[in-house]
Amino acid sequence: MKKNEISPNIWCLQGDMPGKIITIMAWVHGNELSWVTLLQDLKNNLQVMRWKVYIISCANPRAIEQNIRQTEKNMNRSFHNIPQGSAYEDIRAQELLPFLRESDVLLDIHNTLNTENSIPFLISEHANMDQYFPVNTVVSGLDALHPGGSDGYMNSIGKVGLCIESGSIYDPRGTEIARDSVLNFLRATGAIEWKPAINTNQTKYHLDTIIKAKSTNLQFVKKWLDFEQVSQCDVVAYDDGVPIFAPYDGVIVFTYEPKQVGDEVCVFGKKI
């Protein structure tokens, strides 16, 4: 195996057999700090038997330096063929796009800052890949709801884009989930030896409805947990006194108290 740093914080691990090109990316958000040890370990110890593997260990270096989620905008809305703005994250995403375009498969690693509501889950539009991840919740539909994501970009150009949300940075299991996800993903793609483990205990949801704030005076009626069940016409929040209803029997995820008008405050979906 050959290994070299082809750009700052971007490593290429070349196996002995050419073929697929796989990218593992992390730190799109600069305050997701639990990947330091994991990515250093992968870079130093991963033995790629075949294919080419890119490890992008610091996708958003400026935000990482400041230990903030983003400097100007959410970088996971910035992966477009044509730049959608001039923010640092837009520019940085354009720098990374050549690696994504070259790749057949992308795994983007994320986690959350939430201490209580940290169910790990996989974002996937590729049912044949879901079984290789050690999480019991899988969601689809976010490509349409959140255009500009790295995984959505890959899907839009006919490649495979996957995103693992491994839970809270305060939960030590998050790093373990990410590590197990990366290794089993590489086994499933054939880049490293050993038969991949199969997860047969997964629940899948399709997300299709975003609610955005019409005021900054929005209050949820309770602290909703991700993937908590709701019934049609349940009141989930009040936006400046106006009730927000669940659109159907399903689940609510990603609740967020807005800082400005237009902020996304929650998403609804259904079990599939």
Side-chain angles (χ1 to χ4, degrees), residues 124-154:
S124 169
E125 304 292 336
H126 305 276
N128 61 315
M129 294 295 296
D130 300 347
Q131 62 186 331
Y132 300 119
F133 288 85
V135 294
N136 294 335
T137 302
V138 181
V139 304
S140 60
L142 285 177
D143 287 2
L145 298 183
H146 293 159
S150 60
D151 50 330
Y153 174 80
M154 291 291 287

Side-chain angles (χ1 to χ4, degrees), residues 49-223:
M49 304 301 295
R50 57 180 67 86
W51 320 144
K52 180 193 291 185
V53 176
Y54 289 123
I55 297 178
I56 302 176
S57 60
C58 298
N60 192 340
R62 190 174 293 179
I64 293 166
E65 291 171 1
Q66 300 176 52
N67 190 22
I68 55 177
R69 178 177 173 84
Q70 60 206 46
T71 65
E72 297 179 76
K73 66 178 291 188
N74 184 347
M75 187 170 166
N76 218 22
R77 304 292 183 270
S78 296
F79 291 92
H80 300 275
N81 273 322
I82 300 174
Q84 303 295 298
S86 59
Y88 168 75
E89 279 78 7
D90 293 315
I91 296 169
R92 178 59 176 163
Q94 291 297 310
E95 294 173 352
L96 297 178
L97 280 185
F99 297 99
L100 273 59
R101 293 190 188 106
E102 184 186 356
S103 300
D104 299 293
V105 189
L106 166 74
L107 177 60
D108 194 358
I109 309 171
H110 289 264
N111 58 11
T112 72
L113 300 179
N114 198 319
T115 58
E116 300 177 20
N117 193 5
S118 59
I119 296 173
F121 61 94
L122 175 71
I123 301 172
S124 169
E125 304 292 336
H126 305 276
N128 61 315
M129 294 295 296
D130 300 347
Q131 62 186 331
Y132 300 119
F133 288 85
V135 294
N136 294 335
T137 302
V138 181
V139 304
S140 60
L142 285 177
D143 287 2
L145 298 183
H146 293 159
S150 60
D151 50 330
Y153 174 80
M154 291 291 287
N155 297 330
S156 74
I157 61 173
K159 308 293 185 73
V160 175
L162 302 162
C163 175
I164 182 72
E165 293 275 0
S166 65
S168 170
I169 64 169
Y170 305 108
D171 187 342
R173 294 174 299 174
T175 300
E176 297 173 12
I177 290 168
R179 183 186 303 275
D180 291 346
S181 295
V182 169
L183 293 177
N184 211 49
F185 162 75
L186 290 173
R187 294 184 188 113
T189 59
I192 63 176
E193 296 295 336
W194 303 104
K195 184 177 180 180
I198 302 297
N199 184 354
T200 60
N201 187 34
Q202 291 178 322
T203 302
K204 301 188 179 186
Y205 301 92
H206 183 76
L207 307 181
D208 60 13
T209 303
I210 283 181
I211 304 298
K212 295 186 177 182
K214 296 181 179 179
S215 78
T216 56
N217 181 28
L218 185 145
Q219 293 183 324
F220 288 98
V221 299
K222 57 173 284 187
K223 186 174 183 62

